[in-house]
């Protein structure tokens, strides 16, 4: 009996699912592992002991040792790093620590005033585990401070008279004031010890610099994690919303620009039926979800245990209540749109519209976005059509909000709403000279090329620059991960076919997950 085309597709789908499951299972890392260590940078500062009791002031300087030194400095989003080499028995070091902490609080931790710029760390050379590490950096006195790009510390060494080394000693940082003055001189900033969060002048607002979007990969992770934290915390998974969440998770597994968010999405998808079994939604058997299962799903951390970090980089506003999550969510949607294939564009459009309608908690925004979705009368036949629709929808939202914010004075003065992209970023996108609302003429071909480049290749540039996709010894891993996260730009034929098939069979994939869980339960009962 010959197999049907659907059977063949499902067979291929099963193969892809097994690959997904294998990669997801291998991604789990114990808390003590180097992987966990490098993911824990700039996380919220913990000022309690193992039992959660307060033990004094928080330490903002990140304690490193030989087991996590390279991993942490490799994975930090910060542009610069300071490493303080000290000895815990040294009186001068103990007296210097409060000065170092005053500066570190500006840059480290969830409440950092200037996050993502400088990672301030400490290494205790009195511990035997750090002897070789301190020797590599020629530590001859305590405390000793070194400054440089984080990546330059990785698997590196330093000599006092070494030329052409981007790692430099900080020769005038004996007090907090002097250390901060030295930092300001290096990077042309004007930070102060009395700076308050969201009330500072350091904001990257140069709209003509397309490279800024590379920092948004961290905000995409932040927005993804925040969105799912809201869903789980508010218990928004209901009978009518369950399927839409599964479809959106499938989009994230295949197309999220962050590798760890793809793996985390897959992990949630694999365990979804255990946490929210389909049987509980039947009309005759509606059962409440137990707190244990609810907490189990919350603890899965879709983008890793260190996310959300509590701050924004590309999406940071000049006020605490502006930009942030809404900006990050828009960047996520745009970055997904440029990664879809033609055959999956309509299904992706439906999944995104349903996700916003069911899970975005800003009522007016939710209704307005879904109204734009409902106005689409013809199915999308290409990824290009969907990319341009989402871009146009975003501009309609900006047009509506810029009028309201102007009249109510609720907008961010440093980041007023505008029609996007501005001419500085994409001059070829404009057919006419006018940039006034309702008078602009766009070259849609140029707009599409810009969007694909901006939210695709440029967005993940930070990965290539910081070598986050793999080791120098494994040149294959970075290429594979970059391809997987930017398939709208460059994808091998086999990978494109697999992604297209997987995306075109969202319903079959959901059926597979449910069947897999049922079969597993049956095998348990037989045994």
């Amino acid at each position: 009996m010959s197999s049907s085309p659907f059977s063949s597709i499902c067979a291929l789908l099963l193969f892809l699912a097994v690959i997904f499951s294998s990669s997801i299972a291998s991604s789990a890392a114990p808390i003590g592992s180097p992987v966990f260590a490098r993911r824990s940078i700039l996380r919220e500062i913990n000022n309690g002991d193992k039992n959660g009791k307060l033990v004094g002031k928080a330490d903002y300087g990140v304690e490193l040792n030989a087991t996590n030194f390279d991993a942490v400095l490799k994975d930090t989003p910060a542009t610069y790093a300071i490493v303080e080499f000290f000895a815990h028995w040294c009186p001068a070091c103990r007296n210097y620590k409060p000065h170092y902490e005053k500066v570190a609080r500006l840059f480290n931790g969830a409440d950092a005033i200037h996050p993502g710029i400088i990672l301030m760390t400490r290494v205790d050379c009195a511990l035997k585990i750090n002897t070789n590490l301190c020797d590599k950096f020629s530590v001859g006195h305590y405390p000793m401070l070194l400054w440089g790009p984080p990546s330059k510390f990785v698997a590196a060494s330093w000599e006092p008279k070494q030329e052409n080394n981007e790692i430099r000693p900080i020769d005038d940082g004996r007090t907090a004031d002097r250390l901060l003055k030295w930092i300001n001189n290096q990077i042309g900033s004007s930070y102060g010890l009395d700076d308050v969060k969201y009330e500072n002048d350091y904001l990257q607002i140069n709209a003509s610099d397309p490279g800024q979007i590379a920092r948004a990969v961290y905000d995409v992770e932040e927005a993804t994690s925040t969105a799912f934290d809201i869903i789980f915390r508010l218990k928004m998974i209901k009978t009518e919303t369950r399927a839409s969440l599964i479809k959106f998770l499938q989009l994230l597994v295949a197309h999220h620009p962050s590798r760890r968010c793809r793996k985390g999405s897959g992990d949630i998808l694999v365990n979804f039926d255990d946490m929210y079994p389909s049987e509980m939604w039947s009309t005759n058997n509606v059962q409440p979800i137990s707190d244990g299962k609810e907490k189990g799903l919350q603890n899965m951390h879709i983008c890793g245990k260190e996310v959300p970090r509590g701050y924004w980089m590309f999406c940071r506003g000049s006020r605490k209540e502006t930009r942030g999550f809404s900006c990050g969510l828009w960047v996520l949607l745009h970055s997904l749109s440029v990664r879809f294939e033609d055959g999956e564009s309509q299904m992706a459009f439906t999944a995104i519209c349903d996700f916003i309608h069911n899970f975005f908690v800003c009522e007016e925004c939710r209704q307005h976005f879904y109204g734009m979705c409902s106005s689409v009368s013809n199915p999308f036949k290409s990824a290009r059509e969907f990319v341009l629709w989402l871009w146009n929808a975003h501009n309609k939202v900006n047009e509506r909000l810029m009028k309201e914010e102007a009249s109510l004075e609720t907008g961010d003065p440093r980041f007023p709403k505008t029609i996007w992209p501005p001419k500085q970023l994409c001059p070829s996108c404009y057919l006419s000279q006018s940039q006034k609302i309702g008078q602009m003429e766009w070259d849609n071909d140029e707009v599409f090329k810009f969007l694909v480049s901006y939210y695709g290749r440029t967005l993940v540039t930070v990965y290539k620059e910081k070598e986050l996709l793999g080791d120098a010894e494994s040149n294959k891993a970075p290429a594979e991960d970059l391809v997987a996260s930017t398939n709208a730009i460059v994808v091998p034929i086999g990978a494109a076919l697999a992604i297209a098939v997987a995306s075109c069979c969202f319903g079959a994939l959901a059926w597979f997950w449910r069947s897999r869980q049922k079969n597993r339960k049956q095998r348990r009962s037989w045994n």
Side-chain angles (χ1 to χ4, degrees):
M1 188 175 186
S2 59
S3 61
S4 66
F6 181 77
S7 299
S8 301
I9 291 174
C10 286
L12 177 56
L13 195 58
L14 290 173
F15 172 73
L16 291 172
V18 170
I19 293 176
F20 275 140
S21 300
S22 299
S23 63
I24 292 161
S26 64
S27 68
I31 291 180
S33 69
V35 173
F36 181 88
R38 73 167 177 264
R39 289 185 172 186
S40 64
I41 12 187
L42 298 186
R43 202 188 312 169
E44 184 175 358
I45 301 295
N46 179 18
N47 63 341
D49 62 13
K50 293 181 179 179
N51 297 318
K53 297 180 180 179
L54 294 178
V55 294
K57 294 183 179 179
D59 285 346
Y60 293 95
V62 179
E63 294 279 352
L64 300 181
N65 58 49
T67 65
N68 63 9
F69 184 85
D70 285 352
V72 168
L73 287 162
K74 180 179 181 181
D75 201 26
T76 176
T79 307
Y80 306 99
I82 295 177
V83 181
E84 178 201 0
F85 295 97
F86 73 102
H88 62 262
W89 49 258
C90 167
C93 297
R94 290 198 296 269
N95 292 336
Y96 180 67
K97 183 177 179 180
H99 292 277
Y100 193 74
E101 289 292 310
K102 281 184 181 179
V103 178
R105 76 166 185 89
L106 299 175
F107 306 106
N108 288 9
D111 294 324
I113 289 84
H114 306 289
I117 300 167
I118 302 171
L119 176 66
M120 297 186 63
T121 69
R122 308 176 79 235
V123 175
D124 187 353
C125 293
L127 301 179
K128 288 185 178 180
I129 191 176
N130 296 326
T131 299
N132 291 336
L133 177 62
C134 295
D135 288 344
K136 285 172 59 178
F137 288 93
S138 305
V139 178
H141 62 273
Y142 306 127
M144 173 177 148
L145 276 63
L146 294 181
W147 159 281
S151 61
K152 300 302 179 182
F153 285 95
V154 177
S157 61
W158 180 80
E159 295 288 345
K161 297 181 180 180
Q162 187 175 355
E163 296 182 0
N164 301 321
N165 194 327
E166 294 186 55
I167 298 175
R168 300 172 50 201
I170 298 178
D171 51 13
D172 189 14
R174 294 178 63 86
T175 66
D177 287 316
R178 289 164 69 172
L179 176 58
L180 190 56
K181 180 180 178 181
W182 191 95
I183 292 172
N184 285 332
N185 289 337
Q186 297 304 305
I187 61 179
S189 55
S190 56
Y191 304 135
L193 294 175
D194 296 327
D195 286 355
V196 179
K197 195 172 186 181
Y198 299 107
E199 296 177 6
N200 59 83
D201 295 327
Y202 187 82
L203 286 170
Q204 294 189 338
I205 57 175
N206 183 6
S208 63
D209 179 13
Q212 286 190 34
I213 191 65
R215 298 166 65 87
V217 70
Y218 300 101
D219 290 354
V220 171
E221 292 179 336
E222 192 81 1
T224 304
S225 183
T226 301
F228 278 84
D229 280 352
I230 292 171
I231 291 170
F232 297 145
R233 177 164 42 85
L234 299 183
K235 300 183 179 180
M236 301 176 70
I237 305 175
K238 310 293 182 183
T239 307
E240 63 275 14
T241 63
R242 184 179 187 275
S244 65
L245 185 61
I246 290 174
K247 289 181 179 179
F248 191 73
L249 280 167
Q250 290 163 349
L251 288 184
L252 300 187
V253 169
H255 300 296
H256 200 290
S258 165
R259 177 171 55 182
R260 56 187 171 191
C261 293
R262 291 197 298 274
K263 290 181 178 180
S265 301
D267 199 11
I268 292 176
L269 205 54
V270 166
N271 292 278
F272 199 85
D273 267 358
D274 279 344
M275 304 296 176
Y276 298 92
S278 56
E279 291 83 359
M280 73 166 53
W281 307 115
S282 65
T283 55
N284 299 324
N285 186 30
V286 178
Q287 302 174 6
I289 300 170
S290 68
D291 289 340
K293 289 184 176 181
E294 190 83 41
K295 291 178 180 178
L297 202 52
Q298 291 182 39
N299 292 334
M300 299 188 84
H301 302 290
I302 192 167
C303 292
K305 291 187 176 181
E306 83 289 4
V307 182
R309 303 173 183 87
Y311 65 86
W312 305 91
M313 295 179 69
F314 175 81
C315 287
R316 186 173 183 228
S318 62
R319 297 174 178 173
K320 183 176 182 179
E321 67 273 11
T322 60
R323 303 189 83 212
F325 177 55
S326 59
C327 168
L329 192 59
W330 272 115
V331 178
L332 169 63
L333 298 183
H334 285 299
S335 66
L336 289 173
S337 72
V338 301
R339 289 163 169 80
F340 299 142
E341 300 294 331
D342 289 342
E344 58 188 335
S345 55
Q346 179 60 29
M347 205 166 292
F349 162 73
T350 302
I352 287 175
C353 287
D354 287 345
F355 179 80
I356 297 297
H357 182 59
N358 290 323
F359 299 109
F360 193 60
V361 291
C362 174
E363 180 65 19
E364 183 178 350
C365 304
R366 180 177 72 88
Q367 293 291 355
H368 186 262
F369 188 87
Y370 200 70
M372 293 189 292
C373 291
S374 302
S375 67
V376 176
S377 55
N378 297 318
F380 291 106
K381 297 180 181 179
S382 68
R384 178 182 183 276
E385 291 179 5
F386 177 57
V387 169
L388 291 175
W389 176 86
L390 186 65
W391 158 73
N392 187 53
H394 195 170
N395 271 338
K396 286 183 179 179
V397 171
N398 281 351
E399 183 177 344
R400 176 175 63 89
L401 291 179
M402 73 171 69
K403 295 176 182 178
E404 294 180 5
E405 292 178 354
S407 62
L408 299 173
E409 298 183 350
T410 55
D412 191 322
R414 302 291 297 275
F415 298 92
K417 293 291 188 298
T418 184
I419 298 303
W420 197 91
K423 215 161 193 176
Q424 302 97 306
L425 272 179
C426 185
S428 61
C429 291
Y430 291 78
L431 289 175
S432 61
Q433 295 298 318
S434 175
Q435 283 189 256
K436 295 182 179 180
I437 300 174
Q439 298 182 14
M440 284 170 293
E441 295 181 41
W442 300 94
D443 185 329
N444 284 342
D445 290 335
E446 290 299 314
V447 171
F448 176 67
K449 284 165 54 178
F450 168 78
L451 293 171
V452 169
S453 174
Y454 192 75
Y455 289 110
R457 190 179 301 277
T458 308
L459 178 68
V460 298
T461 297
V462 67
Y463 283 132
K464 294 200 297 184
E465 290 178 348
K466 293 182 177 294
E467 300 177 347
L468 293 182
L469 298 184
D471 303 327
E473 299 174 359
S474 178
N475 295 324
K476 187 177 181 181
E480 286 178 348
D481 199 81
L482 188 60
V483 164
S485 62
T486 57
N487 60 64
I489 303 168
V490 49
V491 184
I493 294 176
L497 178 60
I499 292 170
V501 170
S503 301
C504 289
C505 294
F506 278 165
L509 182 57
W511 169 85
F512 167 74
W513 293 124
R514 289 193 293 270
S515 300
R516 181 175 179 270
Q517 299 300 330
K518 290 178 181 178
N519 291 337
R520 183 165 55 180
K521 292 175 182 176
Q522 288 177 355
R523 287 195 298 269
R524 289 173 181 169
S525 63
W526 292 339
N527 293 332

